[in-house]
Amino acid sequence: MRKKRFLLLLFLTLSFGAKAFISVPPHDRKITLKLTNVSMEVFLDAMKKQTELNFLYNAETFRGVPYISVEVKNEKWNSVLNKVLASRGYEYVVKNDIVVIRLKQKTDNGYVRGVVLDDRGEPLIGSTIIVKRRNDRDLYAITNSEGTFSFIAGGNEESISASYIGYEKEILKFKTGKFDYKFQLRSDNQLTEVVVTGIFNKPKVSFTGAATIISKEEIKASGNRNLLQTISHIDPSFDVQEQNATGSNPNASLNIEIRGTASIGSVQELQTNVRNVRNLPLFILDGFEVTSERVMDMNQADVESVVILKDASATAIYGSRGSNGVVVITSVKPETGKLRVSYTAGLNLEIPDLSSYNLMNSFEKLELEKIADLYTSTDFTTQLKLNELYNDNLTSANAGVNTDWIHKPVQTGVGQYHKIDIGGGNDQFRYILNMSYNQLTGAMKGSKRDNVNGGMTISYLLKKVRFTNNLNLGINKGESSPYGLFAKYVTMNPYLRPYDDNGEPFVSYTTFGSSLLYNPLYDAAQTSFSTNDYTNIRNTTMLDLDIMKDLRLNLSIGFTNQKGGTDQFTSPKQSSYLQLNAEATSAGSYYQKRDEQSSYQFSLTTSYAKILGEHSLFFGVNGQLMETQTNSTIVQVRGFVNDQMTDISNGISYYGEKPSTTESTVRSVGLTGTLNYNYAGRYFFDASYRVDGASSFGSLSRYAPFYSLGLGWAFGSEKFVKKIFPFINSGKFRYSYGVTGSLSFEPYQALTTYEYNTTSQYTGLIGASILGYGNPNLKWQNTIQHNWGIDLSLFNNRLMINANFYRKSTDNLLTDSYLSLSHGYSSYKENIGLIRNTGYDMQASVLVLKAMNNTLNLYLRGGLSHNKNVLVKLSDAIKRANELYSGQNYSGGTISEYREGHSVDDLYVLQSPGVDPQSGEVLYLNDDGTVTTSHADLKKISVGSSQPKINGRIGSSLHWRGLNLDFIFGFRLGAKKLNLTLLNVENSVAKNNSDRRVLVTRWQKPGDITGFKSIKSTDSTNPNNRFVFTEKTLTLSNVNLSYDFPRNWIKRFNMERLSFVTSMSDLFYWSNIEMQRGTDYPYSIKPTFSLTCTF
Amino acid sequence: MKKIIYLILGILPFCTSCDDWLTVEPKALSSKDKIFESESGYSDALIGLYLEMQNIYKPSNFMVGGNIENMANNYMINEGTSIAYYLYKHDYAKTDVDNVLGSVFLSYYKVIANANVLLEALKVQNVLSEQMAKDIEGEALAIRAYMHFELLRLWGPVPTAVNASSLYLPYVSVASTDPYEYISYDKYVSKISTDLLRAEELLLDVDPLLKHSNSEMNTTWASQSDYSTLFWYSRQKRCNIYAVKGLLARFNLWIGDKQKAYDYAKEVLDAKNLNGLSKFTLGSRQDFSSTNYVFFSEHLFGLSITEFSSYDNNLAFIGRYASLVNSQTNINAKLYEYQSDLRQSLFISTYSYSFGATVWGTKKYTSMTTTDYSSPKSIPLIRLSEMFLILIETAPLSEANQYYATFRAAREAAYTPLTDSNRNLLVLKEYIKEFWSEGQSFFAYKRLDWPVLLMSNMSMNESNYILPIPADELGNYK
């Protein structure tokens, strides 16, 4: 009731305020009055007339007040008023020259209330209130779940202070008659105050781990296409590795590593993408594990914050899942307020960037072919045919045919984006509903990825119980381009016409040799397709309980189900079938894969926080229970008679024998305890312990312990530091040590399993034999990590530096272990081997400019990371398997190897001192230093790691009123790269089109001194150190410009907010290595425009 | 504080049942623990051993018609760098050869490893009937011993030149990933003997062949009231009691115990059905009419095969690309000495591209395709004829000649009595003729430490007869 009236008064006050006009200071007004038996209203009216002040009151409150009589002469108006009001239980206050009359409020022995808020206006729960009293002991209180406190005032109070870990203490003077105190604590550094670890929320100030915290605003300023890329734009230690082949393919999965490779698979796996899967960080969304693909597809506008946990102190609470690093994503939380509707519409473009291609034109290509003797033969009839071919090609060239093949399969992809958010609620009930549609259209014709995301979050916030439910839906559909590999178009000869006179693509061309050259555009015009899709439903329910003071309990239950699959249809008219003269019963194929994954998780957390004077303690226990089931079925059929009938049911027979299924169920439990102690805000101690049990561990080592210890010293808060280095605002040293694990093995490898022989029977009986020895001792890989860190904030918080140095050793590496043949099986899984990663990461930000009343800000930000990876010890089985690969060479790229003492990422190539100027042959260097022209039996050498020595970011952001401009540059230094384009120039079979450098750089006649072998050579040069370069690359990863329209301007349209954002990704790429980028799928420049309005 | 304690106490019971919950059974596979929960699981694991043996004994694989016959020089070969040629020359040092021998070595131990997992499970089982348990254990032990014996015949010493202090091979009777111990010849053979004798003892109680004839048990449905499941049938294609006795005869002959070899061979030869007819009889020309080129009535132990396609057969034994062949002249001159013999009818003449000549290949395995319904489809592992040859070799001369006469008559060949001086040579020749493309010739040469291979006149010494332990078994890697 009181509150409502107050609001009403305030409203009236504001509306009267403008009319008030007072020429004499009101306190000096003296009045003379004589009134008998009048109502309060009449009295006040008389006062108003004489003082010319505005009086504001609610007449209702005077009901029942007896009539009054007043007689004064030349007295001060306020003393008159006071006299009349005080005796009748009223008082007055003067606000904006308006005299407000109200019922007298209790002061003595009344309740004093207060609220403690953080700098974002959110209540701070559990903050300490100390009330200093005259001649009495201090009074202590703790804020409750709404951030409020209250105490009964005794009249001797002097001051009230509020403090909370990670915030600056605020002291307010106690004023008699003031009952509401509002504290808004400033966090004591400018970083966000809490580290959300996904299980416990730890106070940032005493956190001893290495973590990068990315706020919603940063995501907005650097965001473009997907969240994974955005994170890597901000923090270089979240390393999205460059994949030159896949370019900007929207459907390509990304390779991500944090602090290097810690798990290896077999040598065969090393050649494929499987190794990467083993090293992916763990993604936690609102407390529950999600796949990296899901993160890629989720809407980044729905993200409140992202925390990258890197060291053991931060990740030990994830135990056996933590050693690859953990990325904790928190989705937006509903806020109070009236119903808000916000709508964003966007347009995104993918403009193919083919600037790295420098191909020959028709005449150049013909010249090359001639020089390479492609048109000469010793056989007479062949020579006649070749003459004819040359004439045809020359005629075409002369007629102006110079087909720009590489532009045929590409387009400017135009996609759209729509998002609608509805949110609001009051103190008790809040909600968000959102729905978005994001259509990405790739730079290669026909490739696209569509995402629909929907979410619904509701929260009930009661005094001791808080309930939140979050339901999410993600629907994805990806389509690959029917145009196939981009590389095919690069090799097509420019003098060939792509289409006939009717505009239909030619099927094939006659060219050198007996086989036909098929037109990739013909294949693109067929009915083949390749699609991926999935539907993901996720529900999480969270219940928070305040059991008692300082003790909280959180129960959460999560469930995820994802169904999806892959469909690939190859038309029977596809050139590959024409080439083979395939029979109708085998031409055309359909591959269908159906996947289902469902998982659930229960999590129970209790946390206890207590502050006693200078000591503050945080203690948490968490129990988790998880199950994940996956199932996938593959069906392949072939023999499609009609290429228009593309349904799988039109296939004639199974391809292979039968459909195949893979299945797995993994269960795990985890119990975690964490302790955080902070003394005087200067000395910190952090410890975590977790026991993990998982069904995939061997039965003899079912439970795994993980732990971490951390120490911190906020030296910046020491008095002597403040004295000697006054420019230090805050500074902290951190050290942590811990053991985490990774589960990089198949779920059933610990078991000895029998497999039934389903293809043959034995005298009518079925048989089964073991797949290999299970290893009941099989356990997780242990990663022991040391992390040294420093956080600094200098010069009035204008410069902030945050650096970490780490050493990470992964022991018990899970690999194939060698078994002597007498065991009947040549290998089994065991924990042998050691990988070490050492490195550092660093981030700094500078406030360069702060002017015009803080409306103009310019920040510069930078970050860099370095990682060195060494395979310290390997199992015999790995070494044996590696022997196979160390002897192999492949002209299309390097073959990865595992060698002790080297990095997983090392490039192994042959040594070549150059090209023999006399013969134009490639020279190779033997181990003993002798030079040879044959590459048989040569040993490859390591030329260094293909990972950059330094991976960095430099960015700037400029804010001026509603205008924000952000730039992010990325740079990579020191990686060894094989320039495949140059190798292709050397290897280019003159039949195919290739980089222009072929013509000018290849050896043509004796005496030519050049780095490239004879143009006539047809044998292939294997990767060698002539083509390995040290990379220096600079990219302009993102430019983002946004403008928030001024509020008073948009108010006219009943809008609360209107903003316009435009951003460009991958705008610019400069590298000292000139090579073709995006060989299978081109890179693209990605501009995005979007407009958001909120009502 | 009390509340916290209650809370922790509340969580505890929830944790004790974790172990059960954390044990997850795969669905597409069956874990060791799960398969041995039922009777059928034991049967499946036993049959698995035979299916694994097919990898070694398929007709064109190493141990039947493949390289083991090249090592005996029974086939002709083009000079070159093929693995077959190196084996023909007994040059075992090449890496490729080492790989091939290594995979044979591995295959044997794979059967052994599977047998050991089964035998370990049998020790603690409580789901099988006594009869079933005895039979499965008997067959598994016999197979384990058989495989070890084969390893000894290949990688072990010439039996007449054993070095008592040498450690030859591991005899594996546990399933473990720890390194296995290499043991001396004496220990090794005594372990084979122990396993075979134990198998004999077990099977003597339960083998249906003791009561029933082969023809009664070689049906494709349960036709005998006392054996109601298919498990008990087709005994000739299982390591039955007579297979064990035959193996004991072969094994004792190898280790030089002629008396025991004689006894076991005789026991098999004399084995009678209840109606008084012999359990196993020598084959005849009539068998050919039902595409039975392998003399199935002689099989003490044959390995069942579902499919040896005509395509495989054409590449191996009889087509234009066949390589497991020899010239008609060579076979006639060196083996049959131009005398007529039933076994000559088992050859087919065909022109070979790779040799540029007309050659002879065996047709023993031509009738093993899925569509050939009358063929027994049994790969011969131990035959009655070998029992005859053991008796001929070990019996007193006059008795031996009786067996020899019977045997020669059955093979439609002329009979000339053996003498003490030519007995070994003639028996050896019978081995080559009898077991052409069955993988036994090399062992006959090796057992007798014969100085020359008859089909090629290549001279042999002890080292040619002993295979080197494969590199992957020794495992020295950088």
Side-chain angles (χ1 to χ4, degrees), chain A residues 171-184:
Chain A
I171 303 172
L172 295 177
K173 276 245 166 84
F174 191 86
K175 281 184 203 154
T176 319
K178 185 171 160 68
F179 317 98
D180 288 311
Y181 292 86
K182 186 174 156 196
F183 293 89
Q184 189 140 24

Side-chain angles (χ1 to χ4, degrees), chain B residues 125-171:
Chain B
Q125 67 86 19
N126 53 12
V127 293
L128 295 175
S129 67
E130 193 195 341
Q131 192 189 20
M132 188 105 169
K134 281 187 166 175
D135 181 80
I136 293 174
E137 191 183 350
E139 288 186 44
L141 279 172
I143 289 172
R144 184 168 85 185
Y146 181 26
M147 298 297 105
H148 279 107
F149 178 39
E150 294 279 88
L151 285 160
L152 182 74
R153 292 208 291 179
L154 287 161
W155 277 275
V158 171
T160 51
V162 174
N163 182 343
S165 62
S166 285
L167 303 177
Y168 287 100
L169 284 165
Y171 195 96

Side-chain angles (χ1 to χ4, degrees), chain A residues 547-548 551 553 600 604 606 608 625-627 629 661 663 665-669 671 693-695 702-703 748 751-757 760-771 773-774 818-826 828 876 879-880 883, chain B residues 1 3-4 7 11 14 18-19 21-32 35-36 44-45 47-48 50-52 54 102 105-106 109-110 113-114 117 170 172 175-180 231 234 237-238 302-304 306 470 472-475 477-478:
Chain A
I547 299 179
M548 49 192 240
L551 183 67
L553 185 103
Y600 60 81
L604 188 69
T606 50
Y608 179 78
L625 199 133
M626 282 176 274
E627 180 181 294
Q629 283 189 22
T661 304
E663 169 272 340
T665 301
V666 178
R667 289 180 183 154
S668 64
V669 290
L671 191 68
S695 61
R702 198 61 105 192
Y703 297 97
Y748 303 132
L751 299 173
T752 300
T753 46
Y754 269 91
E755 184 180 42
Y756 276 88
N757 185 332
S760 57
Q761 295 186 347
Y762 194 85
T763 65
L765 300 170
I766 53 168
S769 40
I770 59 172
L771 274 175
Y773 292 97
Y818 162 80
L819 275 179
S820 58
L821 297 181
S822 52
H823 291 83
Y825 294 86
S826 52
Y828 76 119
D876 283 351
K879 288 184 212 165
R880 172 171 52 168
E883 278 188 358
Chain B
M1 209 57 203
K3 278 189 187 172
I4 301 174
L7 197 77
I11 295 170
F14 160 87
C18 278
D19 247 347
W21 188 74
L22 287 178
T23 308
V24 176
E25 279 290 334
K27 284 179 189 150
L29 306 166
S30 182
S31 80
K32 188 177 77 177
I35 199 169
F36 293 127
D44 300 340
I47 297 304
Y50 294 102
L51 290 170
E52 284 297 335
Q54 288 179 344
F105 191 88
L106 180 74
Y109 277 108
K110 191 175 180 191
N114 275 275
V117 172
V172 183
S176 151
T177 50
D178 298 332
Y180 297 135
F231 177 81
S234 299
K237 293 176 178 176
R238 299 268 285 278
L303 196 63
S304 174
T306 334
D472 281 349
E473 166 69 5
L474 301 171
Y477 296 100
K478 300 188 284 297

Side-chain angles (χ1 to χ4, degrees), chain A residues 234-459:
Chain A
I234 297 169
D235 185 359
S237 60
F238 182 88
D239 185 15
V240 174
Q241 306 199 328
E242 190 186 26
Q243 289 168 283
N244 193 39
T246 50
S248 293
N249 189 344
N251 294 309
S253 63
L254 300 173
N255 291 352
I256 301 158
E257 278 179 6
I258 295 176
R259 296 190 166 181
T261 301
S263 293
I264 58 171
S266 64
V267 191
Q268 293 91 300
E269 280 180 3
L270 182 58
Q271 316 306 327
T272 65
N273 204 28
V274 182
R275 171 170 70 95
N276 178 260
V277 176
R278 297 192 190 286
N279 287 288
L280 269 182
L282 175 72
F283 290 93
I284 300 288
L285 174 58
D286 293 332
F288 298 93
E289 188 173 340
V290 288
T291 61
S292 64
E293 187 186 31
R294 190 67 210 112
V295 176
M296 184 171 103
D297 291 332
M298 72 182 285
N299 193 328
Q300 14 189 349
D302 294 339
V303 175
E304 180 70 36
S305 73
V306 175
V307 179
I308 307 170
L309 305 175
K310 300 171 191 170
D311 73 334
S313 175
T315 62
I317 53 170
Y318 288 96
S320 63
R321 300 181 292 164
S323 69
N324 292 338
V326 182
V327 178
V328 181
I329 301 162
T330 311
S331 50
V332 284
K333 292 208 165 55
E335 286 170 21
T336 50
K338 65 180 173 83
L339 175 71
R340 271 189 311 273
V341 179
S342 157
Y343 171 70
T344 306
L347 175 75
N348 51 59
L349 303 178
E350 300 246 352
I351 305 166
D353 175 12
L354 302 181
S355 58
S356 62
Y357 288 87
N358 183 18
L359 301 173
M360 285 176 278
N361 64 31
S362 293
F363 290 107
E364 286 166 337
K365 181 68 212 310
L366 273 174
E367 191 194 337
L368 173 82
E369 288 171 0
K370 251 193 126 171
I371 297 170
D373 285 347
L374 286 185
Y375 293 108
T376 48
S377 168
T378 48
D379 181 65
F380 181 66
T381 46
T382 317
Q383 184 61 56
L384 283 181
K385 274 187 196 164
L386 288 175
N387 287 347
E388 196 183 334
L389 183 66
Y390 179 73
N391 286 334
D392 285 352
N393 291 341
L394 188 64
T395 315
S396 297
N398 282 330
V401 179
N402 185 20
T403 309
D404 186 6
W405 283 97
I406 59 170
H407 279 94
K408 297 291 172 202
V410 297
Q411 64 180 5
T412 294
V414 182
Q416 49 182 315
Y417 172 80
H418 300 276
K419 180 168 197 282
I420 184 154
D421 281 278
I422 301 167
N426 54 30
D427 288 344
Q428 273 88 45
F429 175 73
R430 303 172 191 179
Y431 59 92
I432 300 182
L433 281 170
N434 59 41
M435 200 76 192
S436 66
Y437 170 64
N438 190 11
Q439 180 196 44
L440 291 178
T441 306
M444 235 167 127
K445 288 176 189 165
S447 73
K448 56 182 179 182
R449 192 172 182 92
D450 288 359
N451 280 306
V452 175
N453 284 296
M456 182 175 80
T457 306
I458 49 170
S459 314

